Amino acid sequence: MKPVLREILTVGITTGVVLLTQDRPFPWSLWTAIGASLLLPVRLRWPWLASLLCVPAVAGGLGWAPALVAQYRLGRKEKSIPVQLFWVVLQTVAAITPVLLTESIPLGSLLLATAFVFGLAGAPTALGALVTTRKDLTRSLYETRRARAAELEAQETSARAAERARIAREIHDAVGHHATLIAVESAALAATASDPAVRETALRLRSLAKESLSEMRAALGLLNSDTSYPTLQELVDRARVAGVSVTLSETGEAALSPAVSRALFRVVQEALTNVTKHAPGAAVTVTVDRSTPVRVSVVNGPGELPPLGDGGGAGLHGLSERVRLAGGTLTTSYRADGGFSISAVLPPGKSKVDGQDSTFGGGARDAANA
């Protein structure tokens, strides 16, 4: 509605100015000026045509009102300076020619009149060109600022990735060194011990140290993304060997994404670790339903021996974050019989961390593979 109202006002004002002009040099002056005013809307699509229609009106002496509007639009849309200059000169010639044909004026007055008419035709054209140039410069400045902001964001992202990669390497070097020493010394103990139980325990320690090192490397992105985890049955069997009474029940066959599989494994692993530390001797029931959604529950009764840990760890907080990143929810609660319950609901499909090996992301992996 606003563009229509604007055009009505433009045509009405220019036509009114023409009608209010009393001096009409030629018989055709009024009608050519009114025609140019009424046809001003064509300038929106063809600025040059509007300027051309104003030429007879300017020659008649009454067409300057529509000509100024047409020339402004021409300056806004026409990028070529020679073309703009051509239309300014054409309007100037159209205004001066009738004067030369009908009157005899001195050269000085003619030059002064020509300069005035040239300025009158050129001023709106130059103003339109300046407005367009200003808008183009503003747009270019905005694009430059946006590109600069994107560049800074990319630099910050790259710096964060490099820092994460550095931290990953430091963790790997520090923890990996000690885990390797544990594995080596356990192997040496197994090779020299005469007691079968000691040898079995030493070999189990060696296996756990190697597996811990492998999982740490996978978590830090230092191995390929297809690093395999032990099955839940193997995890439960290992806990049983350590003296934990565990019952495992698995149902459903839904295909799980890698991130969800890792989260499921970690839920059970963290729960069994907590039982070993805080409720030694407690019976544990692990229930896994691989349907849609995936549900896992680890419930333990009260411990029969004093706790081994001080309860000050942050394992459950980290586990809750891992489950959340996998698109699920984690619930923990104390039971009336003195036991504890950990349950999680996970989607079987894609998650926020699919395609990454850890919270360190691809930066650490790329750095390690380089």
Side-chain angles (χ1 to χ4, degrees):
M1 188 61 184
K2 288 183 178 180
V4 175
L5 180 60
R6 181 186 62 195
E7 290 306 306
I8 292 176
L9 290 175
T10 300
V11 172
I13 291 173
T14 54
T15 303
V17 171
V18 171
L19 293 176
L20 291 174
T21 304
Q22 299 296 324
D23 185 17
R24 300 173 183 178
F26 305 102
W28 41 271
S29 298
L30 178 63
W31 302 113
T32 55
I34 292 177
S37 298
L38 295 177
L39 293 175
L40 274 179
V42 302
R43 78 191 189 285
L44 300 178
R45 185 173 181 85
W46 301 292
W48 62 271
L49 181 58
S51 294
L52 181 62
L53 293 173
C54 289
V55 170
V58 170
L62 302 182
W64 280 110
L68 294 179
V69 177
Q71 288 298 119
Y72 174 78
R73 181 67 179 182
L74 183 72
R76 286 293 309 275
K77 295 301 179 181
E78 180 56 57
K79 303 296 183 180
S80 174
I81 294 180
V83 174
Q84 295 176 0
L85 186 61
F86 167 78
W87 287 104
V88 171
V89 171
L90 182 62
Q91 298 290 355
T92 303
V93 172
I96 294 298
T97 299
V99 177
L100 293 176
L101 296 178
T102 58
E103 298 182 20
S104 178
I105 58 176
L107 179 61
S109 299
L110 177 63
L111 293 177
L112 184 61
T114 302
F116 175 79
V117 172
F118 183 85
L120 187 62
T125 308
L127 179 61
L130 289 176
V131 171
T132 299
T133 302
R134 181 180 180 277
K135 292 186 67 175
D136 292 342
L137 290 176
T138 302
R139 188 182 302 110
S140 298
L141 181 60
Y142 171 75
E143 294 294 336
T144 301
R145 289 177 177 175
R146 189 171 64 175
R148 179 59 178 168
E151 181 183 359
L152 291 176
E153 183 178 358
Q155 291 177 354
E156 291 176 0
T157 301
S158 177
R160 286 195 297 268
E163 180 65 13
R164 288 172 179 172
R166 184 188 65 79
I167 295 173
R169 287 193 296 269
E170 290 184 359
I171 293 176
H172 173 264
D173 293 343
V175 180
H177 172 72
H178 297 293
T180 302
L181 290 180
I182 292 173
V184 171
E185 293 186 14
S186 298
L189 178 60
T192 58
S194 58
D195 189 343
V198 173
R199 285 199 300 271
E200 182 180 355
T201 301
L203 289 176
R204 188 164 65 251
L205 287 175
R206 178 176 180 272
S207 177
L208 290 173
K210 291 178 62 180
E211 185 175 326
S212 298
L213 182 61
S214 177
E215 290 187 7
M216 181 194 66
R217 286 173 173 171
L220 298 180
L222 299 175
L223 292 177
N224 294 328
S225 60
D226 60 352
T227 301
S228 59
Y229 282 77
T231 63
L232 290 181
Q233 187 61 56
E234 293 173 341
L235 182 62
V236 168
D237 291 341
R238 190 177 301 157
R240 287 171 179 165
V241 172
V244 182
S245 176
V246 188
T247 301
L248 174 63
S249 174
E250 293 187 88
T251 58
E253 297 180 354
L256 307 183
S257 67
V260 173
S261 296
R262 290 194 293 270
L264 175 62
F265 179 87
R266 292 305 186 192
V267 168
V268 179
Q269 184 183 52
E270 180 66 21
L272 293 178
T273 301
N274 287 343
V275 171
T276 303
K277 293 170 57 179
H278 306 301
V284 184
T285 300
V286 180
T287 304
V288 178
D289 181 8
R290 300 176 185 269
S291 302
T292 304
V294 179
R295 301 179 183 274
V296 55
S297 173
V298 183
V299 179
N300 66 271
E304 299 178 355
L305 299 174
L308 302 177
D310 56 4
L316 290 181
H317 295 287
L319 184 62
S320 177
E321 179 66 13
R322 175 180 284 273
V323 171
R324 185 188 67 80
L325 290 175
T329 57
L330 181 74
T331 304
T332 61
S333 63
Y334 288 95
R335 295 167 52 85
D337 60 358
F340 194 74
S341 171
I342 297 178
S343 60
V345 179
L346 296 161
K350 293 294 184 181
S351 67
K352 296 180 182 178
V353 293
D354 278 350
Q356 297 181 359
D357 291 331
S358 69
T359 55
F360 285 94
R365 178 169 57 255
D366 295 339
N369 291 337

